[in-house]
Amino acid sequence: FRTSFFQTSLEAVGIVLTPAGKKFHECKHPESAAMSLNGALIGDDVSIQTFMEGLERHFEEETNFVKCLRGTKAVGSQDNKFEYRLQASVVRTLLNVNSLQRLLLSFLIEKLPEYTQESEIPNQIMQQLRWLDHVVDGKELCLKLVEVIGVCSKPLQRDLICAIPDI
């Protein structure tokens, strides 16, 4: 098994992608992980592209995608729900990485039409987009939302329109 640049980069900043049997991924501290990853990637377009390719490959498996949309727990905490509190998800942490945000937002928004209203994934994606600490390129985000809204189901269109003020 070859570890990808994506996985190695996450581990270097304290994000652990846990095996299939675990419900949550682990992260030492989401804010410092985002800052460290941004520092490692900023200005390096090749590394950013390689990272995003690894992320997209990782998300091809829907269970991996869903797990990265869930909150993380502190590294080393037990799976007993009373022994930890959830932190920002892997996706939310990565959305706080300036050098990745534009590409990741585009990727997430393009995923929305792939799911039916019965799936919880569109709601989980929109939850990640709500109340971002900052938006690197607000104009591009708005254009991408307008572009994708026309191909979404009617209920998802309604949900997206309602979520726009929070995004």
Side-chain angles (χ1 to χ4, degrees):
F1 176 73
R2 193 174 132 246
T3 304
S4 71
F5 177 73
F6 166 71
Q7 189 172 359
T8 303
S9 298
L10 291 180
E11 289 172 359
V13 298
I15 298 173
V16 179
L17 300 178
T18 57
K22 301 269 187 170
K23 188 173 181 179
F24 302 103
H25 290 310
E26 298 177 352
C27 183
K28 287 182 182 174
H29 192 266
E31 290 81 12
S32 59
M35 288 175 46
S36 296
L37 189 56
N38 191 58
L41 294 175
I42 197 161
D44 187 350
D45 293 341
V46 173
S47 291
I48 292 168
Q49 191 59 41
T50 304
F51 184 91
M52 286 302 297
E53 288 168 2
L55 177 139
E56 290 174 18
R57 272 193 307 279
H58 184 71
F59 286 177
E60 285 173 359
E61 178 68 42
E62 190 171 297
T63 55
N64 289 340
F65 185 42
V66 169
K67 197 170 179 180
C68 284
L69 290 168
R70 286 189 198 129
T72 59
K73 63 179 188 156
V75 173
S77 59
Q78 301 300 311
D79 275 340
N80 180 327
K81 66 181 178 180
F82 298 110
E83 294 183 23
Y84 66 89
R85 66 177 182 83
L86 292 180
Q87 309 172 111
S89 69
V90 171
V91 168
R92 182 62 175 227
T93 300
L94 296 178
L95 283 170
N96 286 317
V97 177
N98 290 346
S99 51
L100 294 175
Q101 189 187 75
R102 186 182 53 79
L103 294 170
L104 184 54
L105 281 171
S106 181
F107 173 79
L108 291 170
I109 292 168
E110 288 172 4
K111 298 278 292 167
L112 287 170
E114 294 178 19
Y115 299 98
T116 64
Q117 190 59 28
E118 291 78 43
S119 173
E120 251 329 281
I121 294 175
N123 290 329
Q124 290 175 317
I125 292 172
M126 286 189 294
Q127 191 61 38
Q128 304 303 309
L129 304 180
R130 284 187 161 103
W131 305 108
L132 289 172
D133 293 340
H134 66 283
V135 176
V136 173
D137 189 346
K139 183 177 180 180
E140 185 175 334
L141 173 59
C142 288
L143 290 173
K144 188 55 107 174
L145 285 168
V146 168
E147 176 186 314
V148 80
I149 205 164
V151 295
C152 291
S153 66
K154 294 290 183 200
L156 186 53
Q157 286 178 355
R158 185 191 68 241
D159 291 347
L160 262 174
I161 290 168
C162 290
I164 286 175
D166 297 341
I167 298 171

